[in-house]
Amino acid sequence: MTTATTTATTMTTATTMMMAATATTATTMTTERRIRMTVQNRLTITVAILSVLALTVVGLVLYTVEANNVEGRNTAAMAQEIAEMRSFAQNGVDPETGERFTSVDQILSQFLAQNRPDEDETLFAFLTDGRVLYQGEPNSAVNGSAEFEKAVAGVSADGGEINLTIDGDEYEGYVLPITSGPGGDTPGGDTAGGSKSGADNGLGSFVVVHNVTASHADLSQVMQIYIVVALAAALLISGISSVLARRLLAPVTELRQTAQSISGGDLSSRLATRGNDDIAELGRTFNDMLDRLEASFETQKRFLDDVGHELRTPLTILSGHLETMDSSDVDDVDETRTMLLDETDRMARLVEELLILARSRRPDFVRPGQVDVPSLLNETLAKAKGLGQRDWKVETPPAVVLTADRQRLTQALLQLAANAFEHTEVDQSITFGAGVEGDSVHLWVRDEGSGVPDEIAADIFERFSRGSTEGHGFGLGLSIIMAIAEAHGGTVVLDHVSRGAQFRMILPKGPQ
């Protein structure tokens, strides 16, 4: 029908306008050059489109349901009028005489006089003498309309529905023939019988007409209001979603800005993380990544500094002796060769120790497994005895299992044993031991040597810091031990003892 089509078209146009406005928001995001489509913009546009589609579907469903309700009410009202007319024609009594009606015109006239039609409804009585009576609000478009009278005449014999459009308004109605023939019925016809007296045998018609356009007027007005409200709601939802998206994605924007600000190896910037959602977890993961990168870069820098610091002197020695060597003097050549081989061995050892320190930051530096502590100490003691004659001992360790890299722990303990060996005499003892405190396992090596001087005790674990004032080795042994302990999540401490020194590794027991 025209009203339904018009309203649906209006809603479709409004939907097109809303979607066009959304598309315009996306296409006008350019000034002199096209602006990059950000996640915030995509989220806002997606929410806006979904809001428009959802509101459109709700509007269409609402309109369809209400339109059907209007149609149902109109149909029920017409059916009621027709049923009442049938009953009145069959059983009605003339109030003036108290007898049955004697003519069709009386039936039609009296029924119209006794009934009040519903809103947007008009009752018509086509009398046998050609006159037309009506009951209801005057409607000049229908009253006296030739098109209306022609439609009624077309079904007046058998009755039926009529549908017509007059001056742009749609009308629907039903025509019920009224006769006063024998038995009150016209054979084969949809009629209501009247008087049986035969006073007039003409054919009249009772017509119920509904103005469909007027019936849908209120619905059309409601839907127009809905479209305006839906447009405002879509804009409001889009605005709120834009604000929320900007707030939710602020950490991502900060992450991008932080990543862009990193230059020249400066990895000190960190994200401020709040909450426990996915965005906060992303920020913490990014910070962890920066920590690892910063540690890696620092390790690389220190490695290069260490190599440059420690290899410069032996390389200078090698170069100087090669330049001053007398190639014609066999003794000088042999002496220089022996000295150079010793220096290259020393450099190889230095490079190996520096590589261990550089690898200590890698995730695969340790390969954890189940380590039986008593077995580890006894095995390490057996290997340490090869260093030389000392009073090697193992204090009875507790029966405990440690989750750690057995080879790295052996390496650390042997390095401590080697340090103790260098600072003890033949008759002095070197003792391996272990203990448990809470969730930590302590492994130590104690000797009865000269101990660590107070002036270097504070910096003993720094690279190239030697354990004695005489200064043997490169000063990397304790740094390697510290790196192994830290790779296990632990540390190394120097304990103050009455005689000698005791170095103790404190390691987490780990999962059992």
Side-chain angles (χ1 to χ4, degrees):
M1 291 176 286
T2 302
T3 304
T5 305
T6 302
T7 306
T9 304
T10 304
M11 292 185 63
T12 305
T13 303
T15 303
T16 305
M17 291 171 60
M18 286 190 284
M19 299 187 71
T22 303
T24 302
T25 303
T27 56
T28 55
M29 288 162 40
T30 57
T31 52
E32 295 180 357
R33 62 184 179 85
R34 185 173 182 177
I35 299 177
R36 180 177 63 255
M37 180 67 73
T38 63
V39 175
Q40 176 187 340
N41 293 334
R42 289 202 295 267
L43 286 175
T44 302
I45 292 173
T46 301
V47 171
I49 292 176
L50 291 177
S51 300
V52 169
L53 291 178
L55 291 171
T56 300
V57 170
V58 171
L60 290 175
V61 171
L62 177 63
Y63 177 80
T64 301
V65 171
E66 288 302 315
N68 290 336
N69 289 339
V70 172
E71 292 293 332
R73 288 194 294 269
N74 289 346
T75 301
M78 286 194 297
Q80 180 182 356
E81 296 292 348
I82 295 298
E84 290 177 356
M85 182 69 243
R86 288 180 183 275
S87 176
F88 188 80
Q90 292 288 342
N91 306 313
V93 176
D94 188 342
E96 294 180 357
T97 63
E99 301 292 336
R100 297 286 302 275
F101 290 106
T102 59
S103 70
V104 170
D105 291 348
Q106 284 183 325
I107 295 174
L108 292 172
S109 300
Q110 191 63 38
F111 184 79
L112 258 63
Q114 295 179 1
N115 280 271
R116 296 286 299 175
D118 295 336
E119 185 179 3
D120 304 321
E121 181 183 72
T122 307
L123 307 179
F124 290 90
F126 285 76
L127 305 180
T128 57
D129 58 4
R131 289 180 298 150
V132 178
L133 305 179
Y134 74 89
Q135 181 66 276
E137 296 183 1
N139 190 326
S140 58
V142 177
N143 296 345
S145 170
E147 184 178 356
F148 171 61
E149 294 181 357
K150 181 179 179 181
V152 172
V155 295
S156 60
D158 299 323
E161 296 181 0
I162 57 173
N163 293 279
L164 64 157
T165 302
I166 302 175
D167 295 340
D169 289 344
E170 288 190 353
Y171 296 88
E172 64 180 6
Y174 193 90
V175 178
L176 177 67
I178 304 297
T179 66
S180 59
D185 293 326
T186 299
D190 183 10
T191 63
S195 171
K196 298 180 181 180
S197 65
D200 67 62
N201 294 321
L203 178 64
S205 298
F206 172 72
V207 182
V208 183
V209 176
H210 266 276
N211 188 332
V212 178
T213 301
S215 299
H216 286 79
D218 291 341
L219 176 59
S220 299
Q221 184 178 7
V222 169
M223 295 312 299
Q224 289 171 1
I225 295 174
Y226 174 84
I227 291 171
V228 174
V229 173
L231 280 169
L235 293 175
L236 180 61
I237 292 172
S238 300
I240 294 175
S241 65
S242 178
V243 173
L244 292 178
R246 183 168 63 252
R247 294 184 61 182
L248 290 174
L249 296 174
V252 178
T253 303
E254 184 182 355
L255 185 150
R256 174 177 56 82
Q257 293 171 348
T258 301
Q260 291 173 343
S261 67
I262 295 174
S263 61
D266 180 15
L267 298 174
S268 60
S269 299
R270 294 295 184 271
L271 298 177
T273 57
R274 295 176 296 274
N276 296 310
D277 56 11
D278 293 340
I279 300 296
E281 187 62 28
L282 174 63
R284 284 189 282 269
T285 302
F286 184 75
N287 287 339
D288 292 341
M289 180 191 69
L290 289 180
D291 291 339
R292 292 192 297 270
L293 288 176
E294 187 174 26
S296 177
F297 288 167
E298 180 63 25
T299 300
Q300 183 184 45
K301 181 177 180 295
R302 294 184 65 179
F303 176 76
L304 295 176
D305 292 343
D306 294 343
V307 169
H309 176 269
E310 289 297 315
L311 293 185
R312 186 179 295 110
T313 298
L315 288 175
T316 301
I317 295 173
L318 292 176
S319 177
H321 281 82
L322 287 173
E323 290 177 355
T324 60
M325 184 186 66
D326 185 0
S327 59
S328 61
D329 187 346
V330 177
D331 293 336
D332 189 23
V333 170
D334 288 341
E335 182 182 353
T336 302
R337 176 177 176 276
T338 301
M339 187 275 300
L340 294 181
L341 288 175
D342 182 67
E343 283 298 310
T344 55
D345 288 341
R346 199 168 74 90
M347 284 192 295
R349 178 186 168 193
L350 172 63
V351 171
E352 180 62 28
E353 291 180 351
L354 290 173
L355 287 175
I356 291 175
L357 289 173
R359 295 191 189 107
S360 65
R361 295 291 184 179
R362 291 171 48 176
D364 60 348
F365 179 68
V366 296
R367 299 176 181 178
Q370 297 297 304
V371 178
D372 180 68
V373 172
S375 173
L376 171 68
L377 295 183
N378 290 322
E379 178 184 316
T380 305
L381 175 65
K383 294 179 180 179
K385 289 181 177 180
L387 294 173
Q389 183 63 39
R390 294 290 186 276
D391 184 12
W392 299 99
K393 299 179 181 179
V394 173
E395 292 186 356
T396 303
V400 62
V401 176
L402 174 67
T403 301
D405 188 324
R406 188 184 188 92
Q407 293 183 355
R408 292 298 183 191
L409 293 185
T410 302
Q411 179 184 2
L413 291 172
L414 287 176
Q415 182 64 57
L416 289 174
N419 290 349
F421 181 84
E422 292 180 3
H423 299 89
T424 55
E425 301 297 334
V426 174
D427 59 344
Q428 293 178 325
S429 66
I430 300 176
T431 305
F432 293 90
V436 179
E437 291 186 11
D439 293 331
S440 299
V441 175
H442 296 224
L443 304 175
W444 66 77
V445 176
R446 183 174 62 246
D447 65 71
E448 297 179 345
S450 57
V452 179
D454 292 338
E455 60 268 23
I456 63 174
D459 302 323
I460 192 68
F461 295 105
E462 296 295 327
R463 296 187 182 193
F464 306 110
S465 176
R466 294 172 174 85
S468 67
T469 55
E470 290 80 7
H472 298 92
F474 301 107
L476 294 176
L478 290 176
S479 298
I480 293 174
I481 296 169
M482 178 63 78
I484 292 174
E486 290 178 346
H488 284 85
T491 187
V492 182
V493 296
L494 171 62
D495 295 326
H496 294 286
V497 293
S498 58
R499 183 181 178 185
Q502 175 175 289
F503 288 91
R504 181 163 46 96
M505 289 192 298
I506 304 174
L507 307 174
K509 187 182 298 184
Q512 301 299 305

